């Protein structure tokens, strides 16, 4: 993705985290669920380092929804109760 390449050059972890979350959300809506899961997990990793509670909450929620859709109820539960 061009936006991520530019953000990498800038070096802003905050922008990268938000871009990854937004890409994950977009990929969820377009049915690219494997890609969405990866992007949410990448956003989570950065959010944990930055202690960004909003992205943490939103990413865990979206991951739980993805797991639920895939029938992985235990994993969905774990994302909700982190």
């Amino acid at each position: 993705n061009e936006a991520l390449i530019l953000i990498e050059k800038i070096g802003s972890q905050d922008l990268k985290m938000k871009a990854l979350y937004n890409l994950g959300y977009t990929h969820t809506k377009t049915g690219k669920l494997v890609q969405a899961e990866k992007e949410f997990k990448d956003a989570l990793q950065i959010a944990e380092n930055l202690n960004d509670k909003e992205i943490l909450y939103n990413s865990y929620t979206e991951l739980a929804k993805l797991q639920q859709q895939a029938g992985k109820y235990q994993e969905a539960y774990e994302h909700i109760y982190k």
Side-chain angles (χ1 to χ4, degrees), residues 33-44:
L33 304 182
V34 172
Q35 186 65 28
E37 181 178 2
K38 179 188 179 317
E39 289 157 347
F40 286 134
K41 287 181 177 180
D42 290 347
L44 271 174

Side-chain angles (χ1 to χ4, degrees):
N1 187 312
E2 278 185 50
L4 282 177
I5 293 169
L6 291 173
I7 290 168
E8 288 283 339
K9 288 181 182 181
I10 294 170
S12 171
Q13 290 298 297
D14 184 61
L15 286 176
K16 182 178 179 181
M17 172 190 66
K18 290 175 182 172
L20 286 165
Y21 173 80
N22 288 329
L23 283 169
Y25 187 81
T26 300
H27 284 133
T28 297
K29 296 302 180 190
T30 58
K32 298 176 182 175
L33 304 182
V34 172
Q35 186 65 28
E37 181 178 2
K38 179 188 179 317
E39 289 157 347
F40 286 134
K41 287 181 177 180
D42 290 347
L44 271 174
Q45 188 173 36
I46 298 169
E48 287 172 356
N49 290 336
L50 297 178
N51 196 31
D52 188 304
K53 295 184 186 326
E54 180 181 1
I55 296 294
L56 284 168
Y57 173 82
N58 291 339
S59 293
Y60 277 126
T61 300
E62 293 300 327
L63 280 170
K65 289 177 188 177
L66 289 175
Q67 298 303 332
Q68 183 181 19
Q69 289 174 357
K72 298 177 183 177
Y73 300 109
Q74 181 61 37
E75 290 179 41
Y77 177 85
E78 290 169 9
H79 289 303
I80 290 293
Y81 291 101
K82 281 227 177 186

